[in-house]
PDB file of all heavy atoms in Angstrom:
ATOM      1  N   MET T   1     -13.636  84.325   8.504  1.00  0.00           N
ATOM      2  CA  MET T   1     -12.196  84.048   8.454  1.00  0.00           C
ATOM      3  C   MET T   1     -11.803  83.026   9.525  1.00  0.00           C
ATOM      4  O   MET T   1     -12.311  83.058  10.636  1.00  0.00           O
ATOM      5  CB  MET T   1     -11.412  85.346   8.680  1.00  0.00           C
ATOM      6  CG  MET T   1      -9.949  85.152   8.465  1.00  0.00           C
ATOM      7  SD  MET T   1      -9.086  86.672   8.100  1.00  0.00           S
ATOM      8  CE  MET T   1      -8.278  87.010   9.630  1.00  0.00           C
ATOM      9  N   ILE T   2     -10.932  82.121   9.121  1.00  0.00           N
ATOM     10  CA  ILE T   2     -10.459  81.095  10.050  1.00  0.00           C
ATOM     11  C   ILE T   2      -8.988  81.369  10.362  1.00  0.00           C
ATOM     12  O   ILE T   2      -8.179  81.523   9.446  1.00  0.00           O
ATOM     13  CB  ILE T   2     -10.570  79.691   9.420  1.00  0.00           C
ATOM     14  CG1 ILE T   2     -12.001  79.439   8.927  1.00  0.00           C
ATOM     15  CG2 ILE T   2     -10.158  78.615  10.415  1.00  0.00           C
ATOM     16  CD1 ILE T   2     -12.109  78.275   7.979  1.00  0.00           C
ATOM     17  N   VAL T  25      -7.432  81.483   6.751  1.00  0.00           N
ATOM     18  CA  VAL T  25      -8.177  81.263   5.517  1.00  0.00           C
ATOM     19  C   VAL T  25      -9.225  82.365   5.417  1.00  0.00           C
ATOM     20  O   VAL T  25     -10.005  82.580   6.350  1.00  0.00           O
ATOM     21  CB  VAL T  25      -8.854  79.881   5.534  1.00  0.00           C
ATOM     22  CG1 VAL T  25      -9.672  79.673   4.269  1.00  0.00           C
ATOM     23  CG2 VAL T  25      -7.813  78.770   5.677  1.00  0.00           C
ATOM     24  N   ASP T  26      -9.218  83.075   4.298  1.00  0.00           N
ATOM     25  CA  ASP T  26     -10.158  84.184   4.123  1.00  0.00           C
ATOM     26  C   ASP T  26     -11.517  83.699   3.649  1.00  0.00           C
ATOM     27  O   ASP T  26     -11.650  82.593   3.112  1.00  0.00           O
ATOM     28  CB  ASP T  26      -9.598  85.177   3.093  1.00  0.00           C
ATOM     29  CG  ASP T  26      -8.520  86.054   3.697  1.00  0.00           C
ATOM     30  OD1 ASP T  26      -8.628  86.339   4.912  1.00  0.00           O
ATOM     31  OD2 ASP T  26      -7.582  86.423   2.968  1.00  0.00           O
ATOM     32  N   LYS T  27     -12.481  84.552   3.823  1.00  0.00           N
ATOM     33  CA  LYS T  27     -13.836  84.228   3.389  1.00  0.00           C
ATOM     34  C   LYS T  27     -13.856  83.974   1.882  1.00  0.00           C
ATOM     35  O   LYS T  27     -13.233  84.694   1.114  1.00  0.00           O
ATOM     36  CB  LYS T  27     -14.766  85.388   3.725  1.00  0.00           C
ATOM     37  CG  LYS T  27     -16.220  85.052   3.442  1.00  0.00           C
ATOM     38  CD  LYS T  27     -17.160  86.108   3.959  1.00  0.00           C
ATOM     39  CE  LYS T  27     -18.529  85.974   3.298  1.00  0.00           C
ATOM     40  NZ  LYS T  27     -19.026  84.598   3.235  1.00  0.00           N
ATOM     41  N   GLY T  28     -14.528  82.906   1.485  1.00  0.00           N
ATOM     42  CA  GLY T  28     -14.724  82.613   0.076  1.00  0.00           C
ATOM     43  C   GLY T  28     -13.607  81.823  -0.584  1.00  0.00           C
ATOM     44  O   GLY T  28     -13.717  81.439  -1.739  1.00  0.00           O
ATOM     45  N   LEU T  45      -8.467  69.351   9.984  1.00  0.00           N
ATOM     46  CA  LEU T  45      -9.838  69.722   9.637  1.00  0.00           C
ATOM     47  C   LEU T  45     -10.762  69.589  10.848  1.00  0.00           C
ATOM     48  O   LEU T  45     -11.585  70.460  11.125  1.00  0.00           O
ATOM     49  CB  LEU T  45     -10.312  68.823   8.496  1.00  0.00           C
ATOM     50  CG  LEU T  45     -11.286  69.465   7.513  1.00  0.00           C
ATOM     51  CD1 LEU T  45     -10.608  70.623   6.815  1.00  0.00           C
ATOM     52  CD2 LEU T  45     -11.742  68.447   6.498  1.00  0.00           C
ATOM     53  N   ILE T  48     -10.713  72.318  13.453  1.00  0.00           N
ATOM     54  CA  ILE T  48     -11.355  73.600  13.144  1.00  0.00           C
ATOM     55  C   ILE T  48     -12.768  73.660  13.737  1.00  0.00           C
ATOM     56  O   ILE T  48     -13.172  74.685  14.269  1.00  0.00           O
ATOM     57  CB  ILE T  48     -11.355  73.833  11.621  1.00  0.00           C
ATOM     58  CG1 ILE T  48      -9.897  74.016  11.140  1.00  0.00           C
ATOM     59  CG2 ILE T  48     -12.189  75.048  11.251  1.00  0.00           C
ATOM     60  CD1 ILE T  48      -9.740  74.135   9.650  1.00  0.00           C
ATOM     61  N   ASN T  49     -13.530  72.552  13.669  1.00  0.00           N
ATOM     62  CA  ASN T  49     -14.844  72.583  14.322  1.00  0.00           C
ATOM     63  C   ASN T  49     -14.830  71.829  15.665  1.00  0.00           C
ATOM     64  O   ASN T  49     -15.854  71.516  16.237  1.00  0.00           O
ATOM     65  CB  ASN T  49     -15.938  72.028  13.404  1.00  0.00           C
ATOM     66  CG  ASN T  49     -15.734  70.581  13.058  1.00  0.00           C
ATOM     67  OD1 ASN T  49     -14.731  69.977  13.407  1.00  0.00           O
ATOM     68  ND2 ASN T  49     -16.695  70.006  12.365  1.00  0.00           N
ATOM     69  N   ILE T  60      -9.496  80.493  15.801  1.00  0.00           N
ATOM     70  CA  ILE T  60     -10.497  81.548  15.879  1.00  0.00           C
ATOM     71  C   ILE T  60     -11.341  81.551  14.606  1.00  0.00           C
ATOM     72  O   ILE T  60     -10.823  81.567  13.485  1.00  0.00           O
ATOM     73  CB  ILE T  60      -9.813  82.919  16.090  1.00  0.00           C
ATOM     74  CG1 ILE T  60      -9.202  82.932  17.497  1.00  0.00           C
ATOM     75  CG2 ILE T  60     -10.811  84.056  15.946  1.00  0.00           C
ATOM     76  CD1 ILE T  60      -8.213  84.031  17.720  1.00  0.00           C
ATOM     77  N   ILE T  61     -12.651  81.445  14.799  1.00  0.00           N
ATOM     78  CA  ILE T  61     -13.581  81.416  13.676  1.00  0.00           C
ATOM     79  C   ILE T  61     -14.369  82.719  13.675  1.00  0.00           C
ATOM     80  O   ILE T  61     -15.106  83.001  14.626  1.00  0.00           O
ATOM     81  CB  ILE T  61     -14.590  80.245  13.820  1.00  0.00           C
ATOM     82  CG1 ILE T  61     -13.891  78.941  14.189  1.00  0.00           C
ATOM     83  CG2 ILE T  61     -15.445  80.122  12.573  1.00  0.00           C
ATOM     84  CD1 ILE T  61     -13.148  78.267  13.098  1.00  0.00           C
ATOM     85  N   ASP T  62     -14.234  83.502  12.621  1.00  0.00           N
ATOM     86  CA  ASP T  62     -14.943  84.775  12.506  1.00  0.00           C
ATOM     87  C   ASP T  62     -14.876  85.584  13.795  1.00  0.00           C
ATOM     88  O   ASP T  62     -15.887  86.099  14.283  1.00  0.00           O
ATOM     89  CB  ASP T  62     -16.406  84.538  12.110  1.00  0.00           C
ATOM     90  CG  ASP T  62     -16.510  84.098  10.653  1.00  0.00           C
ATOM     91  OD1 ASP T  62     -15.637  84.501   9.850  1.00  0.00           O
ATOM     92  OD2 ASP T  62     -17.435  83.341  10.333  1.00  0.00           O
ATOM     93  N   ILE T  77     -21.057  78.182  17.342  1.00  0.00           N
ATOM     94  CA  ILE T  77     -19.971  78.309  16.356  1.00  0.00           C
ATOM     95  C   ILE T  77     -20.027  77.137  15.372  1.00  0.00           C
ATOM     96  O   ILE T  77     -19.892  77.307  14.166  1.00  0.00           O
ATOM     97  CB  ILE T  77     -18.582  78.372  17.051  1.00  0.00           C
ATOM     98  CG1 ILE T  77     -18.505  79.596  17.971  1.00  0.00           C
ATOM     99  CG2 ILE T  77     -17.465  78.445  16.014  1.00  0.00           C
ATOM    100  CD1 ILE T  77     -17.232  79.666  18.804  1.00  0.00           C
ATOM    101  N   ARG T  78     -20.260  75.941  15.924  1.00  0.00           N
ATOM    102  CA  ARG T  78     -20.325  74.751  15.051  1.00  0.00           C
ATOM    103  C   ARG T  78     -21.457  74.854  14.039  1.00  0.00           C
ATOM    104  O   ARG T  78     -21.366  74.331  12.933  1.00  0.00           O
ATOM    105  CB  ARG T  78     -20.537  73.495  15.906  1.00  0.00           C
ATOM    106  CG  ARG T  78     -19.245  72.954  16.488  1.00  0.00           C
ATOM    107  CD  ARG T  78     -19.562  71.762  17.335  1.00  0.00           C
ATOM    108  NE  ARG T  78     -18.360  71.121  17.846  1.00  0.00           N
ATOM    109  CZ  ARG T  78     -18.356  70.363  18.929  1.00  0.00           C
ATOM    110  NH1 ARG T  78     -19.468  70.158  19.600  1.00  0.00           N
ATOM    111  NH2 ARG T  78     -17.237  69.801  19.335  1.00  0.00           N
ATOM    112  N   ARG T  79     -22.548  75.515  14.450  1.00  0.00           N
ATOM    113  CA  ARG T  79     -23.695  75.649  13.562  1.00  0.00           C
ATOM    114  C   ARG T  79     -23.298  76.347  12.265  1.00  0.00           C
ATOM    115  O   ARG T  79     -23.879  76.100  11.214  1.00  0.00           O
ATOM    116  CB  ARG T  79     -24.772  76.460  14.296  1.00  0.00           C
ATOM    117  CG  ARG T  79     -26.128  76.388  13.661  1.00  0.00           C
ATOM    118  CD  ARG T  79     -27.118  77.176  14.472  1.00  0.00           C
ATOM    119  NE  ARG T  79     -26.960  78.613  14.268  1.00  0.00           N
ATOM    120  CZ  ARG T  79     -27.712  79.535  14.881  1.00  0.00           C
ATOM    121  NH1 ARG T  79     -28.630  79.153  15.756  1.00  0.00           N
ATOM    122  NH2 ARG T  79     -27.524  80.804  14.644  1.00  0.00           N
ATOM    123  N   ASP T  80     -22.308  77.200  12.332  1.00  0.00           N
ATOM    124  CA  ASP T  80     -21.876  77.939  11.148  1.00  0.00           C
ATOM    125  C   ASP T  80     -20.838  77.186  10.316  1.00  0.00           C
ATOM    126  O   ASP T  80     -20.369  77.687   9.307  1.00  0.00           O
ATOM    127  CB  ASP T  80     -21.284  79.297  11.562  1.00  0.00           C
ATOM    128  CG  ASP T  80     -22.370  80.226  12.095  1.00  0.00           C
ATOM    129  OD1 ASP T  80     -23.549  79.989  11.760  1.00  0.00           O
ATOM    130  OD2 ASP T  80     -22.038  81.160  12.842  1.00  0.00           O
ATOM    131  N   ILE T  81     -20.428  75.999  10.798  1.00  0.00           N
ATOM    132  CA  ILE T  81     -19.409  75.225  10.076  1.00  0.00           C
ATOM    133  C   ILE T  81     -20.005  73.888   9.661  1.00  0.00           C
ATOM    134  O   ILE T  81     -20.278  73.035  10.493  1.00  0.00           O
ATOM    135  CB  ILE T  81     -18.184  74.968  10.981  1.00  0.00           C
ATOM    136  CG1 ILE T  81     -17.691  76.275  11.616  1.00  0.00           C
ATOM    137  CG2 ILE T  81     -17.070  74.317  10.172  1.00  0.00           C
ATOM    138  CD1 ILE T  81     -16.588  76.076  12.627  1.00  0.00           C
ATOM    139  N   GLY T  82     -20.222  73.727   8.378  1.00  0.00           N
ATOM    140  CA  GLY T  82     -20.767  72.460   7.905  1.00  0.00           C
ATOM    141  C   GLY T  82     -19.652  71.472   7.654  1.00  0.00           C
ATOM    142  O   GLY T  82     -18.525  71.859   7.366  1.00  0.00           O
ATOM    143  N   MET T  83     -19.954  70.164   7.821  1.00  0.00           N
ATOM    144  CA  MET T  83     -18.903  69.191   7.570  1.00  0.00           C
ATOM    145  C   MET T  83     -19.380  68.060   6.657  1.00  0.00           C
ATOM    146  O   MET T  83     -20.478  67.546   6.814  1.00  0.00           O
ATOM    147  CB  MET T  83     -18.393  68.614   8.882  1.00  0.00           C
ATOM    148  CG  MET T  83     -17.132  67.782   8.680  1.00  0.00           C
ATOM    149  SD  MET T  83     -16.143  67.725  10.185  1.00  0.00           S
ATOM    150  CE  MET T  83     -14.574  67.199   9.530  1.00  0.00           C
ATOM    151  N   ILE T  84     -18.518  67.694   5.727  1.00  0.00           N
ATOM    152  CA  ILE T  84     -18.775  66.590   4.801  1.00  0.00           C
ATOM    153  C   ILE T  84     -17.754  65.501   5.121  1.00  0.00           C
ATOM    154  O   ILE T  84     -16.576  65.796   5.300  1.00  0.00           O
ATOM    155  CB  ILE T  84     -18.561  67.027   3.336  1.00  0.00           C
ATOM    156  CG1 ILE T  84     -19.224  68.371   3.053  1.00  0.00           C
ATOM    157  CG2 ILE T  84     -18.988  65.949   2.370  1.00  0.00           C
ATOM    158  CD1 ILE T  84     -20.619  68.320   2.596  1.00  0.00           C
ATOM    159  N   VAL T 159     -25.491  70.367   4.742  1.00  0.00           N
ATOM    160  CA  VAL T 159     -24.638  71.511   5.067  1.00  0.00           C
ATOM    161  C   VAL T 159     -25.259  72.815   4.560  1.00  0.00           C
ATOM    162  O   VAL T 159     -25.217  73.853   5.233  1.00  0.00           O
ATOM    163  CB  VAL T 159     -23.236  71.299   4.460  1.00  0.00           C
ATOM    164  CG1 VAL T 159     -22.444  72.577   4.489  1.00  0.00           C
ATOM    165  CG2 VAL T 159     -22.509  70.200   5.203  1.00  0.00           C
ATOM    166  N   GLN T 162     -28.051  73.858   6.658  1.00  0.00           N
ATOM    167  CA  GLN T 162     -27.468  74.360   7.911  1.00  0.00           C
ATOM    168  C   GLN T 162     -27.109  75.847   7.783  1.00  0.00           C
ATOM    169  O   GLN T 162     -26.869  76.515   8.771  1.00  0.00           O
ATOM    170  CB  GLN T 162     -26.220  73.521   8.203  1.00  0.00           C
ATOM    171  CG  GLN T 162     -25.609  73.676   9.577  1.00  0.00           C
ATOM    172  CD  GLN T 162     -24.341  72.847   9.713  1.00  0.00           C
ATOM    173  OE1 GLN T 162     -24.192  71.809   9.063  1.00  0.00           O
ATOM    174  NE2 GLN T 162     -23.429  73.288  10.547  1.00  0.00           N
ATOM    175  N   GLU T 163     -27.098  76.349   6.554  1.00  0.00           N
ATOM    176  CA  GLU T 163     -26.669  77.716   6.253  1.00  0.00           C
ATOM    177  C   GLU T 163     -25.294  78.002   6.826  1.00  0.00           C
ATOM    178  O   GLU T 163     -25.054  79.033   7.468  1.00  0.00           O
ATOM    179  CB  GLU T 163     -27.697  78.735   6.762  1.00  0.00           C
ATOM    180  CG  GLU T 163     -29.021  78.632   6.022  1.00  0.00           C
ATOM    181  CD  GLU T 163     -30.018  79.693   6.447  1.00  0.00           C
ATOM    182  OE1 GLU T 163     -30.367  79.744   7.637  1.00  0.00           O
ATOM    183  OE2 GLU T 163     -30.432  80.489   5.597  1.00  0.00           O
ATOM    184  N   ALA T 164     -24.408  77.042   6.587  1.00  0.00           N
ATOM    185  CA  ALA T 164     -23.049  77.173   7.103  1.00  0.00           C
ATOM    186  C   ALA T 164     -22.295  78.257   6.343  1.00  0.00           C
ATOM    187  O   ALA T 164     -22.545  78.482   5.160  1.00  0.00           O
ATOM    188  CB  ALA T 164     -22.327  75.841   6.978  1.00  0.00           C
ATOM    189  N   LYS T 165     -21.393  78.917   7.033  1.00  0.00           N
ATOM    190  CA  LYS T 165     -20.568  79.926   6.382  1.00  0.00           C
ATOM    191  C   LYS T 165     -19.237  79.324   5.943  1.00  0.00           C
ATOM    192  O   LYS T 165     -18.497  79.907   5.165  1.00  0.00           O
ATOM    193  CB  LYS T 165     -20.310  81.089   7.349  1.00  0.00           C
ATOM    194  CG  LYS T 165     -21.590  81.780   7.781  1.00  0.00           C
ATOM    195  CD  LYS T 165     -21.283  83.022   8.606  1.00  0.00           C
ATOM    196  CE  LYS T 165     -22.554  83.735   9.024  1.00  0.00           C
ATOM    197  NZ  LYS T 165     -23.242  83.030  10.127  1.00  0.00           N
ATOM    198  N   ILE T 166     -18.940  78.149   6.537  1.00  0.00           N
ATOM    199  CA  ILE T 166     -17.700  77.454   6.220  1.00  0.00           C
ATOM    200  C   ILE T 166     -18.056  75.991   5.949  1.00  0.00           C
ATOM    201  O   ILE T 166     -18.901  75.427   6.644  1.00  0.00           O
ATOM    202  CB  ILE T 166     -16.724  77.522   7.410  1.00  0.00           C
ATOM    203  CG1 ILE T 166     -16.319  78.967   7.700  1.00  0.00           C
ATOM    204  CG2 ILE T 166     -15.499  76.643   7.174  1.00  0.00           C
ATOM    205  CD1 ILE T 166     -15.665  79.156   9.049  1.00  0.00           C
ATOM    206  N   ILE T 167     -17.435  75.392   4.944  1.00  0.00           N
ATOM    207  CA  ILE T 167     -17.628  73.951   4.724  1.00  0.00           C
ATOM    208  C   ILE T 167     -16.277  73.258   4.875  1.00  0.00           C
ATOM    209  O   ILE T 167     -15.292  73.650   4.253  1.00  0.00           O
ATOM    210  CB  ILE T 167     -18.216  73.660   3.326  1.00  0.00           C
ATOM    211  CG1 ILE T 167     -19.647  74.195   3.220  1.00  0.00           C
ATOM    212  CG2 ILE T 167     -18.194  72.163   3.040  1.00  0.00           C
ATOM    213  CD1 ILE T 167     -20.296  73.968   1.863  1.00  0.00           C
ATOM    214  N   LEU T 168     -16.247  72.249   5.735  1.00  0.00           N
ATOM    215  CA  LEU T 168     -15.066  71.410   5.864  1.00  0.00           C
ATOM    216  C   LEU T 168     -15.401  70.073   5.225  1.00  0.00           C
ATOM    217  O   LEU T 168     -16.402  69.449   5.584  1.00  0.00           O
ATOM    218  CB  LEU T 168     -14.719  71.185   7.340  1.00  0.00           C
ATOM    219  CG  LEU T 168     -14.574  72.433   8.220  1.00  0.00           C
ATOM    220  CD1 LEU T 168     -14.363  72.016   9.668  1.00  0.00           C
ATOM    221  CD2 LEU T 168     -13.425  73.291   7.735  1.00  0.00           C
ATOM    222  N   ALA T 169     -14.607  69.619   4.273  1.00  0.00           N
ATOM    223  CA  ALA T 169     -14.890  68.342   3.626  1.00  0.00           C
ATOM    224  C   ALA T 169     -13.688  67.422   3.804  1.00  0.00           C
ATOM    225  O   ALA T 169     -12.605  67.691   3.286  1.00  0.00           O
ATOM    226  CB  ALA T 169     -15.201  68.556   2.150  1.00  0.00           C
ATOM    227  N   GLY T 196     -20.403  81.979  -1.889  1.00  0.00           N
ATOM    228  CA  GLY T 196     -19.258  82.552  -1.192  1.00  0.00           C
ATOM    229  C   GLY T 196     -18.919  81.857   0.109  1.00  0.00           C
ATOM    230  O   GLY T 196     -18.389  82.457   1.031  1.00  0.00           O
ATOM    231  N   ILE T 197     -19.240  80.549   0.192  1.00  0.00           N
ATOM    232  CA  ILE T 197     -18.944  79.805   1.411  1.00  0.00           C
ATOM    233  C   ILE T 197     -17.480  79.364   1.389  1.00  0.00           C
ATOM    234  O   ILE T 197     -17.035  78.724   0.433  1.00  0.00           O
ATOM    235  CB  ILE T 197     -19.853  78.554   1.529  1.00  0.00           C
ATOM    236  CG1 ILE T 197     -21.322  78.988   1.579  1.00  0.00           C
ATOM    237  CG2 ILE T 197     -19.488  77.736   2.763  1.00  0.00           C
ATOM    238  CD1 ILE T 197     -22.294  77.837   1.621  1.00  0.00           C
ATOM    239  N   THR T 198     -16.755  79.725   2.428  1.00  0.00           N
ATOM    240  CA  THR T 198     -15.367  79.303   2.563  1.00  0.00           C
ATOM    241  C   THR T 198     -15.320  77.777   2.598  1.00  0.00           C
ATOM    242  O   THR T 198     -16.052  77.162   3.361  1.00  0.00           O
ATOM    243  CB  THR T 198     -14.783  79.842   3.880  1.00  0.00           C
ATOM    244  OG1 THR T 198     -15.136  81.209   4.002  1.00  0.00           O
ATOM    245  CG2 THR T 198     -13.276  79.686   3.917  1.00  0.00           C
ATOM    246  N   THR T 199     -14.477  77.164   1.775  1.00  0.00           N
ATOM    247  CA  THR T 199     -14.467  75.713   1.687  1.00  0.00           C
ATOM    248  C   THR T 199     -13.048  75.169   1.867  1.00  0.00           C
ATOM    249  O   THR T 199     -12.116  75.643   1.224  1.00  0.00           O
ATOM    250  CB  THR T 199     -15.025  75.251   0.325  1.00  0.00           C
ATOM    251  OG1 THR T 199     -16.290  75.870   0.119  1.00  0.00           O
ATOM    252  CG2 THR T 199     -15.195  73.744   0.277  1.00  0.00           C
ATOM    253  N   ILE T 200     -12.919  74.216   2.764  1.00  0.00           N
ATOM    254  CA  ILE T 200     -11.625  73.560   2.954  1.00  0.00           C
ATOM    255  C   ILE T 200     -11.827  72.067   2.727  1.00  0.00           C
ATOM    256  O   ILE T 200     -12.668  71.445   3.374  1.00  0.00           O
ATOM    257  CB  ILE T 200     -11.078  73.799   4.377  1.00  0.00           C
ATOM    258  CG1 ILE T 200     -11.032  75.299   4.684  1.00  0.00           C
ATOM    259  CG2 ILE T 200      -9.683  73.181   4.511  1.00  0.00           C
ATOM    260  CD1 ILE T 200     -10.489  75.626   6.055  1.00  0.00           C
TER     261      ILE T 200
END
Side-chain angles (χ1 to χ4, degrees):
Chain T
M1 187 158 104
I2 306 164
V25 178
D26 282 328
K27 186 171 162 45
L45 213 63
I48 294 175
N49 63 355
I60 291 165
I61 313 285
D62 288 330
I77 299 174
R78 277 178 176 157
R79 195 178 76 180
D80 291 338
I81 309 174
M83 190 155 198
I84 314 271
V159 166
Q162 192 183 331
E163 294 184 301
K165 299 187 179 76
I166 297 165
I167 293 179
L168 307 175
I197 299 177
T198 314
T199 308
I200 306 181

